[in-house]
Amino acid sequence: MLQTSLLYLHIAAGTIALFSAATALATRKGGKAHANVGRVYAIGMTVVFLTAVPLAIFGADVFLLLIAVFSFYLVLAGWRFAVNRSGRPQTVDWASIAILGLTGIGMLIYGAFLLGEGDGQWVTMLVFAVIAIALAAADAIYFRRQTRSRKGGGRQRLQRHLTNMLAATIATVTAVTVVNVDMEPVWLPWILPTIVMVPVIVWWNLRIVKYGLRPLR
């Protein structure tokens, strides 16, 4: 009964997160509507995380647990980059980066285990491990620079916000794809949204650098 209730809540929160993510992408960045929808998305993804953890534990599903922690970091970090106007890291920022780094290492180890077992999902673990470690390093470098700066981060903070939130959106789309699309090899529905949407993240970052889009305030 508990697991079923958690599953329904997980699905409902994921659905809300998916639609709010689409709305956030369509609204003007930095505007009130974008901020409000972003809060709904963050709350939805938080509920997704809080329900995914016990579901993973009940099912002894290490794969789901690692993905849940990874996805939640993206939302938490994206939100922190938006609201932390000073740009300077606080304890929660360093702690979350450390957890993401450890999660990435855990993905590498579990991926090696899956490879040894002949499970094709080792590819998913490898790809997500590389992304997790790369994001942890990028966010850590940003914060390290900010500890030496008196500025609020400006465009760089906006870049980190968009990168993490768009990556979280990939996680949301991935969940929907995995549930509704059956394809081979088994890792393809897990990786396909990343392949499609990473160029969007790169485009946004280049646009900010080139045109100097309005920084977060």
Side-chain angles (χ1 to χ4, degrees), residues 20-139:
S20 57
T23 305
L25 289 172
T27 55
R28 183 176 65 86
K29 308 304 176 286
K32 186 176 181 180
H34 179 80
N36 289 336
V37 174
R39 291 188 187 96
V40 174
Y41 175 72
I43 293 171
M45 287 298 288
T46 299
V47 175
V48 167
F49 171 72
L50 293 176
T51 51
V53 170
L55 286 171
I57 294 174
F58 289 147
D61 193 335
V62 177
F63 186 92
L64 175 60
L65 182 61
L66 291 170
I67 295 295
V69 175
F70 174 44
S71 301
F72 183 64
Y73 170 83
L74 300 173
V75 179
L76 176 62
W79 175 72
R80 286 288 302 156
F81 283 120
V83 301
N84 183 13
R85 298 180 181 180
S86 69
R88 295 186 178 183
Q90 298 178 5
T91 302
V92 64
D93 300 310
W94 287 121
S96 57
I97 287 174
I99 291 173
L100 178 64
L102 291 173
T103 300
I105 295 172
M107 287 177 169
L108 286 176
I109 295 172
Y110 191 60
F113 170 78
L114 292 176
L115 177 61
E117 293 290 310
D119 190 329
Q121 287 290 23
W122 73 268
V123 177
T124 303
M125 283 287 96
L126 175 61
V127 172
F128 283 8
V130 171
I131 295 174
I133 293 171
L135 280 174
D139 289 350

Side-chain angles (χ1 to χ4, degrees), residues 124-178:
T124 303
M125 283 287 96
L126 175 61
V127 172
F128 283 8
V130 171
I131 295 174
I133 293 171
L135 280 174
D139 289 350
I141 290 171
Y142 167 82
F143 279 131
R144 188 172 181 82
R145 289 174 178 171
Q146 286 305 113
T147 58
R148 304 172 183 175
S149 174
R150 295 182 178 180
K151 299 180 180 180
R155 296 178 188 175
Q156 291 74 32
R157 184 162 61 93
L158 177 57
Q159 286 179 300
R160 300 316 308 155
H161 167 71
L162 285 172
T163 295
N164 281 280
M165 280 303 193
L166 286 173
T169 302
I170 292 176
T172 308
V173 174
T174 298
V176 175
T177 303
V178 169

